[in-house]
Amino acid sequence: MDAGYFLGLDLGGTNIKGGVVDDQGRPISSVSSPTLAELGPEIGLGTLKDLAIRAVEASGVGWEEILAVGLGAAGTLDASIGRIIDASNLKRWNGFAIAPRLAKILDRPTFLVNDANAAAFGEYWAGAGRMTESLVLFTIGTGIGCGIVESGRILEGRHGLGGECGHMTIQMEGGRPCSCGRSGHLEAYASVTSLVARAVEGLEIEPDSRLRSSWLEGCLSGAEIHRCALLGDPLAVRLIRETARYLAVGASIVMHTVDPDLVLFGGGMIAAGSGFLAMIREEIEKLTFPTAWEQTGIEFASLGGDAGFIGAAGWAKKAVNKMGVDGESN
Amino acid sequence: MDAGYFLGLDLGGTNIKGGVVDDQGRPISSVSSPTLAELGPEIGLGTLKDLAIRAVEASGVGWEEILAVGLGAAGTLDASIGRIIDASNLKRWNGFAIAPRLAKILDRPTFLVNDANAAAFGEYWAGAGRMTESLVLFTIGTGIGCGIVESGRILEGRHGLGGECGHMTIQMEGGRPCSCGRSGHLEAYASVTSLVARAVEGLEIEPDSRLRSSWLEGCLSGAEIHRCALLGDPLAVRLIRETARYLAVGASIVMHTVDPDLVLFGGGMIAAGSGFLAMIREEIEKLTFPTAWEQTGIEFASLGGDAGFIGAAGWAKKAVNKMGVDGESN
C-alpha cells in the first residue's frame, strides 16, 4: 500500500514556500511565491491555494494521494483552532483562523504550526536530527527562530510560546535592546542583525578594520563579517568569537532545562563552516555540566530553507495518524 | 475496589523523608530520618528500609496494599536503570544502582526520580498545580531546585538534566560565581545563600542597615532579610526587590521556552507572603510577552517539604499504571 504524501506550506512575512513531501520526509517538489503580507489574509488564501496547486503539479503526485496539509506560520498561534494570534510580520493576519479556511479550500485536513517549530520538526523527522528523540533548533537570521522537539513531539507550550528561545534573557543587567522591545535577549546578541549592529559599534573603536570598507560600500553583512574573520581581521575575529559565545549561552540554557539529544544551528551562518561550529562547541564546554557537553550533539541543521515546509508536512502526517489510530504514531 | 497506596521516599543530603500516599495524592503518613550520607549507600539502604517500615506502620495501611515505591534523590540520575550518576550531597552514592536494590529489599517495583522533579510532580498531582497540564517549580533554598512537568510528564531530559533551571545563565557578562563553579546562573543570584551573600556585600555600602546587627549576631538569614524589608530597611528592601527580579528573569526564560500553565515558587521564601509574590509578578510583566504574563499562573507551591515524597509516590503510580496497561494513564 502506498503510504501517501503530505503537502507542507511555510508562510513567512516575505515569502511562502511549499512542497509535496513523501511518507519518509523526502521533498518531491519545492516552490515559492511572495507573501504580499500587506494585502491581508483573504488574498493570501488565494496565494496559498495557487502555491499548493503548483507544488502538487510540480511533484507529479496526484491530488488524491495528498492526505493532509501542514501550514507553518510565523508568530504566536492557537494551533488547536488553527488561528494566528499575533504575528509581527503578518499583522493583518492577526486573529485570522487560517487553517479551517485553507482546509475547506484544499479539501484536506490542515494543521497550523509555528514556522520555527515546524523547521525543528523537519530536522527531527528528516534532517540532522533523524536519529534523535529530542532536539532544539536555533535558526539564526534577522531574528532568532527556535523550535523544540521533545520525545518526538513539538513542544508548542500552553500559550503558543514554546520554543521562543530567541527571547530568553541572557544578560539581565545592561543588556542590549531586543527587537521585541525588551532587552538582554539572545536575539539581541546573536542574530545576524545584531552581529551587524555590533560590527558598526566596533568600528568606532577599531576604525582600521577591513569591515570599515564593507560598511562604507553598504555590504556589511553576516557573511562579510565571517569572511573578514577568516582573513584574520581582529574586529571580525572578535565579533565571530563573541557570537559563538552568545549562541553557546543560548544552547547551555536549553541543555539545562529541556536537555535534548541534540542542539542544531541553522540559517545563513551555516556557511561559516565547521570552524564556527567548533568555536560554539568550545564555548558550550565552559558553560554546561560535563554530562551535558559530553553527551549532547551540537551540529548544523541540514535541511536549509526547506526545513519549514518539510516539518509542517511531517506534523500533518503525525496529526492525521493520531486522529486515525488509537494513540500516537510517527 | 481499593485503588491502592504508594510509598514515597525523598533522599536528601541531610534527611530522608517518606510517607504513604493514597491514590489521590493525599499523604497518609510522614516520617523522616537523618541520611548520614557519609556512611555510604549500603548502610543507607538499611536506613531507607527502616524508614519505609515506619512510614507504612504510621499510615495504618497494610504492606500488601502498597503497590509501588517512588524514590526521589538529589543529583543527576539515570532513571531508566535506577542509578545515581552524580549527586554532590551524596558523593559516596555516585554510580550506585539504588532503585533495583531497594526494590529487592522492599519487594516492590521501585522508581528513581530526581528530587526536584519529584517535588514538581507532587505539586502537579496533588498540590498547587492540580488543575494544570504543565508547570515549572522553583524551590528556593541553599541552592535552587527546579522541576518541569510538561503534558503530565516529568521532563527528565535525555541525560538526566531536564529542569536544572537553577543553572540557567541569566547574566553572561560579569555574572556572580555559582556553586557549580560556573557563573551568572540563576542560583548565583536568587538562592537564599546568595541573598545572604548579597546582604553582606550590601552592608559595606550601607553600614547603617538594620541587617548589620543581625549579621554581627550571626543571625543574618533569608527570613531575617524579609523581616527587615517589611520594617522598611532600605538595604533589605532593595535586596528583596532584586531577588524578586532575579526570580522573574528565571520564570521568564521558562515561559519563553517550555511555556507552562503555571510557574510555582517553593521553599522557605513562601513565608515572605503575598507581597513578595506580587513583586515577582510585577517583574515578570516587564520581562515576558503579554500572552505569557496574562495567561500563565504565578503562584506559591502548596505542599511544602512533603512535595518530594508525594511526587515520588505519584511518579511510581504513573509508572506502574504505564506498565500495567497499554499506554499511559494518570
Side-chain angles (χ1 to χ4, degrees), chain B residues 40-50 93 96 98 101-102 105:
Chain B
E42 292 295 341
I43 291 175
L45 276 174
T47 313
L48 282 166
K49 181 187 173 185
D50 293 345
W93 303 55
F96 189 66
I98 188 170
R101 291 290 301 277
L102 193 63
I105 291 171

Side-chain angles (χ1 to χ4, degrees), chain A residues 249-264:
Chain A
V249 171
S252 77
I253 295 178
V254 299
M255 290 162 78
H256 288 172
T257 50
V258 174
D259 182 19
D261 291 305
L262 183 64
V263 177
L264 293 176

Side-chain angles (χ1 to χ4, degrees), chain A residues 267-289:
Chain A
M269 274 190 191
I270 288 185
S274 58
F276 185 56
L277 190 60
M279 255 185 240
I280 298 174
R281 286 194 184 120
E282 212 172 278
E283 296 293 332
I284 286 174
E285 186 172 336
K286 299 177 200 162
L287 292 164
T288 60
F289 293 145

